[in-house]
Amino acid sequence: MSTQPGQLDPSAVALLGDRAYPESQVSYGGATYWLERSADGLKRLVAVADDESAFRGFAGTTKSSDGDVRLVAETTPENALALRSALPWLKPSRFGLHTSAGFGDRLGLATPGHVRALKAVGAAINPVFAQQSIREMGRCHRTPRNVLDDATWGAFQAGWTQPIGGDADHLEELSDIDDTAAAGFVFYTLDPKAEVDPEAEHADRAAIQHKVEALDWAGLESDLPTFIKTYAGHRVDLEHEAIELDEESVCRAMAKYGPSLAHAMAMYRRLMEKGIDCEVEFAVDETDYPTKPAEHIVVVRELQRLGMEFVSFAPRFVGRFEKGVEYIGDIDELQRDFEIHAEIARALGPYKLSLHSGSDKYSTYPLIAEATKGLVHLKTAGTSWAEALRVIAHNDSDLMREVLALALNSFEANRKSYHLSCDPARIPTHPTDEEVAHLMDVIDSRQVLHVGYGAILEEFGTRLYQVWNDNEEEHYRIIADHFVKHLTPFAPYAH
Ligand SMILES: [Zn+2]
């Protein structure tokens, strides 16, 4: 058999069972694999090969007939690992500076929809299907390994045969590195936001002086006079302008980000000690104030001096990037912000600019795609969850009413750590069927439901998953339509 992934070999179609996913069928390394779904909704891996040795690593039942060996195996973590080893493109790999997009999937169900969107757009956008922050995994009771395995099964089911990434998103603690590295992630988003000092934004000169003097300079392998000499009075020439660095702005930048750099380096070193083939993103997008050009330069130069290599940087851009809704702010100002950060990223790297909380920000995509010339990573986290609720609203409006009531009751707890502008008081507490059908289109209910996932899944998880499993085709179609709109603006610049 061919050693290249092949699909829908006509001679093998007869092997497919009634409930097989035809697009999952793939021949590689002497075996043909596909995914089947039983009447009770359980999915099983089926494979056929000339000889049993092709199935080493899988746990399942094998049966020989007519010179073939047939494997039937459950979709367990052990078999996901074996499948990644048998079909190596399913094992996450690095994307370097290529255009990429991360699709968060809180439910572990959305990947086939993501694959459809990518295939429909047909551009060189490298997908990260496995991506979830530690905060979200906690609220969803998922482990890093669950996230990776669900993405493996989903990509396999939908017939994705190109490389895939795996983003251990928003890691804040050293132990987060250990947990996600053990699972097999290859892209590590280091987020030291807890150590970023928001007071430095408006502190007076004396307070800034005090803050920079108090930094752990030994830990930063430098000292204050050296730092000032390196940056103050220097100029960074960009393509269309120059950034002048004065002592006040570089000291303010260091007062704000200095403590976070030491913590980010500690996480980075912990990761590097593991000796795995991986890449890093540095993210400060969840901080209170926009990252100014001088701050971008100081942060990146200091990280580079300390030895961090990263493929992408997520600044905090101007305006508001709230969950699940359009960009809120002055779009011209944002365009200008994209352009200057993109120019800095090309001058100091190059590295990609990473756009977080990127879902549903349709007005921003053409701007960042053009500003970065495709040197960009788009990251969406919860929008697949929000879209999945449409399936519930459409198929079980009573359940959707219960879900909404819980989301409203638990909103004050759910909203913590999220930037939102919704007003729960504007949401109907007893919505009509017509209102239920539009809950995901209205900003107030969309955001309340968007951040309510933890409580909602805790209470209604079993019933919700039943509806999604009974209506998976509709679910994939909704997700695919939604993501085509996200990915299309990046297509002209993707490389
Ligand atoms: Zn983020």
Side-chain angles (χ1 to χ4, degrees), residues 139 410-422 424 451:
R139 289 191 189 180
S410 54
F411 178 64
E412 282 314 313
N414 302 335
R415 72 171 307 161
K416 286 197 183 89
S417 76
Y418 288 111
H419 296 284
L420 304 169
S421 61
C422 52
V451 299

Side-chain angles (χ1 to χ4, degrees), residues 169-170 283 285-286 356-357 379:
D169 197 11
H170 282 289
D285 64 294
E286 292 186 353
H356 284 217
S357 298
K379 195 175 299 206

